[in-house]
Amino acid sequence: MGCFEALFAGQKHLIITLPLPPAALHAHTAGNWRSKAAPTRAYRLEAALVAQQAMRKEGDSYPYDSAELSVDFYWPNLRRRDTLNAVQSCKGAIDGLSDAGLISDDDWQHLTIGHIRSHLDRENPRVCLTVDVTEV
C-alpha cells in the first residue's frame, strides 16, 4: 500500500514521503537535546527539501494558512510500536514543512491533526505526511 495521491472530494492536499525517522529521534532514546540536535536538523532539512520539490511540482498557492496533517507510517515489520512516540519523532519533519513554506505554522491556530495510521510494508518502509487545506 502506498501513499494516497487521490484528491479527497476536490480538497487540495500535498503528500510528503520521507524515510522513517532515525532511531536517534525516538522519545526514549538515551541522550539529551544536544545528542538529538544534529539528527533533528538533518531530518527537518530533508523534509523541507522534499516539501519544496513537491510544492514546485504541484504549483499551488502556499503557504496553507489552515491545514490538517495526517501521518501514515509504513513499518518494515510487525514489531510493537508506540504510535504517539512515533509521531513525536516526526516533529523535526513537521517543522521542516513550515520551513519550506508549505504551512504557515504548526501551532494550533494553523495546523490540526487528522489521522495517524500504521501499515506494514516490508520492502519500502517510510512515513507519509499528508497536508490537507482546511481553510474556506
Side-chain angles (χ1 to χ4, degrees), residues 2 52 57 61 91 94:
Q52 287 172 342
K57 179 181 173 190
S61 176
K91 175 64 174 129
I94 296 166

Side-chain angles (χ1 to χ4, degrees), residues 18-131:
L18 299 167
L20 290 171
L25 300 184
H26 297 175
H28 300 296
T29 299
N32 60 18
W33 67 268
R34 189 168 297 174
S35 64
K36 294 182 179 189
T40 299
R41 190 169 34 255
Y43 200 52
R44 182 175 182 159
L45 178 62
E46 181 174 9
L49 293 174
V50 171
Q52 287 172 342
Q53 290 173 345
M55 290 161 56
R56 277 194 298 275
K57 179 181 173 190
E58 198 62 32
D60 203 356
S61 176
Y62 303 101
Y64 295 154
D65 193 47
S66 180
E68 178 181 274
L69 175 71
S70 294
V71 183
D72 285 275
F73 292 97
Y74 294 84
W75 302 108
N77 54 44
L78 294 174
R79 193 177 85 203
R80 264 185 84 198
R81 291 181 169 79
D82 184 311
T83 302
L84 293 180
N85 285 343
V87 172
Q88 183 274 333
S89 67
C90 290
K91 175 64 174 129
I94 296 166
D95 289 340
L97 302 181
S98 183
D99 294 346
L102 175 58
I103 56 176
S104 295
D105 200 349
D106 65 349
D107 67 0
W108 68 273
Q109 293 175 316
H110 296 93
L111 188 68
T112 59
I113 301 300
H115 70 259
I116 301 166
R117 295 188 182 125
S118 289
H119 314 271
L120 176 65
D121 189 338
R122 295 183 194 280
E123 287 78 41
N124 186 20
R126 64 199 179 280
V127 62
C128 295
L129 306 174
T130 302
V131 181

